[in-house]
Amino acid sequence: MENVKKEELNKLIGINKTNIFYDMVDVISSLYDMDQSWNNGGKKWTYEYKFRKSGKTLCAFYFKEDMLGFMIIFGKDERIKVEKIKSELSSDVLETYDNAQTYHDGKWVMFDITDNSILEDLKKLLLIKRKPNKK
């Protein structure tokens, strides 16, 4: 799938959420050297934007009308680390994390991004998921 144009995202999710998406991509790209790809969003979403390395996904963004989703899947060891920093996370992030479904392959946590207030928390969670690999 080709890159989705910024104008198309503006129409789909709004200028504010589009700007938040690009800000988050900049932050993630500054920490991690990874493949980034646009995909079809499946049944529930219009588009997906993934960060992957060696067949493993770090995180993914999901887009549909007026919605920007951000997913991280936490394995068993990562969930133990998240438990240790819960006091540092906002109530919105904690509630989303606690209410997420845990499957055999991990806890799939989908955050609904409405503004940039949770960006620092998401960065902390990404650092648990994988250490930065950029100097």
Side-chain angles (χ1 to χ4, degrees):
M1 179 173 191
E2 290 180 34
N3 289 348
V4 176
K5 303 276 186 279
K6 190 171 185 175
E7 298 76 41
E8 198 173 334
L9 289 181
N10 285 341
K11 278 188 232 163
L12 184 65
I13 63 173
I15 292 170
N16 186 40
K17 289 179 186 161
T18 299
N19 289 337
I20 292 168
F21 163 68
Y22 282 107
D23 288 348
M24 289 182 71
V25 167
D26 288 346
V27 168
I28 297 166
S29 297
S30 73
L31 297 169
Y32 301 97
D33 178 22
M34 299 213 155
D35 297 326
Q36 300 172 39
S37 62
W38 284 102
N39 302 295
N40 179 302
K43 290 179 185 170
K44 294 184 179 178
W45 298 87
T46 307
Y47 302 116
E48 171 193 72
Y49 187 81
K50 267 188 182 176
F51 281 84
R52 289 175 66 91
K53 179 107 180 168
S54 306
K56 293 191 175 205
T57 300
L58 173 69
C59 61
F61 291 90
Y62 292 89
F63 307 83
K64 66 181 176 185
E65 194 169 333
D66 296 325
M67 284 193 73
L68 173 58
F70 180 74
M71 181 178 280
I72 307 176
I73 301 169
F74 296 96
K76 187 177 174 190
D77 294 344
E78 295 155 351
R79 292 197 303 275
I80 292 167
K81 291 176 185 172
V82 171
E83 292 298 323
K84 291 178 182 171
I85 67 154
K86 275 187 159 185
S87 63
E88 301 172 27
L89 302 174
S90 69
S91 57
D92 286 350
V93 168
L94 274 178
E95 185 179 343
T96 301
Y97 179 84
D98 288 339
N99 292 330
Q101 184 74 41
T102 303
Y103 299 97
H104 71 282
D105 59 347
K107 187 174 188 85
W108 293 50
V109 188
M110 175 68 82
F111 297 95
D112 179 14
I113 310 282
T114 54
D115 57 43
N116 58 11
S117 64
I118 67 169
L119 299 188
E120 279 305 309
D121 283 358
L122 296 180
K123 189 173 165 185
K124 288 175 189 171
L125 294 173
L126 284 173
L127 293 173
I128 284 175
K129 178 78 180 162
R130 181 175 282 173
K131 287 185 173 70
N133 63 359
K134 261 193 176 173
K135 298 288 179 237

